[in-house]
Amino acid sequence: MCTANANLYWNIGKVWLIVGIVRHYISILLTSQKKVEILQVQDSQVIIRARVLRENAKYIPRNSFIMRRQFFNNEETGYLTQKRAPVSQNLMTDPTMMTDMLKGNVTNVLPMIVIGGWINWMFSGFLTTKVPFPLTLRFKPMLQRGIELAHLDASWVSSASWYFLNVFGLRSIYALVLGENNAADQGRHIQDQVSGAAMAMPPDPKVAFKAEWEALEITNHQWQLQDVENEILDQWREKSWLQNPNLS
């Protein structure tokens, strides 16, 4: 059985849009605030200060640059030479990470399974829309999931396929309604799980300290404000002479 239903085209999109908005606010309510240690914030700010020093060293005198670099790179008292304990977080030893992963799976995967099963049960064999351009037969398994008609035009889209297209295609609508960093973006959530970003470990401060220490060590100081007062006076005299040549 194969039936074309234009209203189903809009209903599936509306249902998934509403579910995405509700899932976004439920995720906000279930999200637990992560505790950030003061030492981690301090280390990140020091690395930013060291980077700013490298990029803007040409605007301070050489003695000032060396003094600041000693604060960071001194072998005994330098901040970047201090030892830090290695960062290690294990899912088995950190119950908060396990809880956050469980909440994420419940709010993202469960609605997807429930609505997908409901559409396959209620609207199996329905056609929702037709793309406005011809397609080859290789698109039939992707666009006509649940419909086994060999002679049906590949441009038709089944209800199940339209549902999956809405899952990954409403990202722009969610960003417009809820903002960029929203919890309703199912495609981003799946990409994070596949790439391992959802289980990413925090960066090791020892690696960041070493890289910034080496960058500061090889930084060559070249003061760009040498004799800047004379250049300003020359420009001022030239401008005054152009405005009133009789002053010379």
Side-chain angles (χ1 to χ4, degrees), residues 32 44 82 101 107 119 127 197:
S32 58
S44 62
Q82 297 180 6
M101 288 186 59
T107 57
I119 290 177
L127 296 175

Side-chain angles (χ1 to χ4, degrees), residues 50 53-58 62 65 69 73 212-222:
L53 176 61
R54 288 191 293 105
E55 296 175 353
N56 301 280
K58 57 185 178 180
R62 181 176 179 82
F65 169 72
R69 185 170 64 179
N73 287 18
E212 198 60 38
W213 181 88
E214 293 176 351
L216 274 175
E217 282 293 320
I218 64 175
T219 300
N220 185 19
H221 179 268
Q222 294 181 354

Side-chain angles (χ1 to χ4, degrees), residues 102-139:
L102 180 60
K103 291 178 181 179
N105 291 331
V106 169
T107 57
N108 289 280
V109 178
L110 186 60
M112 184 176 177
I113 296 176
V114 172
I115 297 178
W118 171 67
I119 290 177
N120 285 329
W121 176 62
M122 288 288 296
F123 307 106
S124 180
F126 279 78
L127 296 175
T128 58
T129 184
K130 183 178 181 181
V131 296
F133 46 85
L135 296 174
T136 61
L137 295 178
R138 292 186 177 182
F139 287 90

Side-chain angles (χ1 to χ4, degrees), residues 15 17 19 32 36 44 61 70 114 120 147 153 161 172 175 205 213 246:
V15 168
L17 180 62
V19 169
S32 58
V36 180
S44 62
Q70 282 294 106
V114 172
N120 285 329
I147 296 178
D153 189 4
S161 297
S172 300
W213 181 88
N246 296 327

Side-chain angles (χ1 to χ4, degrees), residues 134-151:
L135 296 174
T136 61
L137 295 178
R138 292 186 177 182
F139 287 90
K140 287 178 69 67
M142 182 177 66
L143 297 180
Q144 297 180 5
R145 185 181 300 271
I147 296 178
E148 302 296 337
L149 293 178
H151 301 287

Side-chain angles (χ1 to χ4, degrees), residues 26-248:
I26 292 178
S27 300
I28 293 177
L29 294 176
L30 296 178
T31 301
S32 58
Q33 294 183 354
K34 297 182 180 179
K35 296 182 179 179
V36 180
E37 297 183 1
I38 297 178
L39 186 59
Q40 294 180 355
V41 178
Q42 182 178 342
D43 292 343
S44 62
Q45 293 298 317
V46 168
I47 293 176
I48 293 175
R49 287 176 56 192
R51 187 179 302 116
V52 171
L53 176 61
R54 288 191 293 105
E55 296 175 353
N56 301 280
K58 57 185 178 180
Y59 299 118
I60 60 176
R62 181 176 179 82
N63 294 335
S64 300
F65 169 72
I66 294 176
M67 180 179 63
R68 287 168 171 80
R69 185 170 64 179
Q70 282 294 106
F71 170 79
F72 294 112
N73 287 18
N74 188 279
E75 295 182 358
E76 297 180 357
T77 61
Y79 195 95
L80 298 180
T81 58
Q82 297 180 6
K83 294 183 179 180
R84 288 286 187 271
V87 178
S88 61
Q89 289 189 2
N90 191 355
L91 294 178
M92 302 303 296
T93 59
D94 191 356
T96 58
M97 295 184 64
M98 292 288 293
T99 305
D100 292 339
M101 288 186 59
L102 180 60
K103 291 178 181 179
N105 291 331
V106 169
T107 57
N108 289 280
V109 178
L110 186 60
M112 184 176 177
I113 296 176
V114 172
I115 297 178
W118 171 67
I119 290 177
N120 285 329
W121 176 62
M122 288 288 296
F123 307 106
S124 180
F126 279 78
L127 296 175
T128 58
T129 184
K130 183 178 181 181
V131 296
F133 46 85
L135 296 174
T136 61
L137 295 178
R138 292 186 177 182
F139 287 90
K140 287 178 69 67
M142 182 177 66
L143 297 180
Q144 297 180 5
R145 185 181 300 271
I147 296 178
E148 302 296 337
L149 293 178
H151 301 287
L152 183 64
D153 189 4
S155 300
W156 286 98
V157 182
S158 66
S159 58
S161 297
W162 179 243
Y163 162 71
F164 285 106
L165 290 177
N166 278 273
V167 170
F168 298 99
L170 291 177
R171 179 176 301 180
S172 300
I173 304 299
Y174 288 140
L176 181 63
V177 176
L178 303 173
E180 290 293 335
N181 298 324
N182 59 80
D185 192 350
Q186 187 72 28
R188 182 173 60 86
H189 177 74
I190 294 177
Q191 289 177 1
D192 291 343
Q193 286 187 335
V194 172
S195 62
M199 300 175 60
M201 297 300 176
D204 190 354
K206 295 174 59 178
V207 177
F209 281 5
K210 183 179 180 181
E212 198 60 38
W213 181 88
E214 293 176 351
L216 274 175
E217 282 293 320
I218 64 175
T219 300
N220 185 19
H221 179 268
Q222 294 181 354
W223 195 20
Q224 298 293 329
L225 302 181
Q226 186 73 26
D227 297 331
V228 65
E229 63 275 5
N230 295 328
E231 294 181 3
I232 293 176
L233 289 175
D234 292 340
Q235 293 179 3
W236 178 78
R237 292 192 187 99
E238 183 180 357
K239 183 178 180 180
S240 299
W241 183 83
L242 293 175
Q243 293 178 353
N244 193 354
N246 296 327
L247 293 177
S248 58

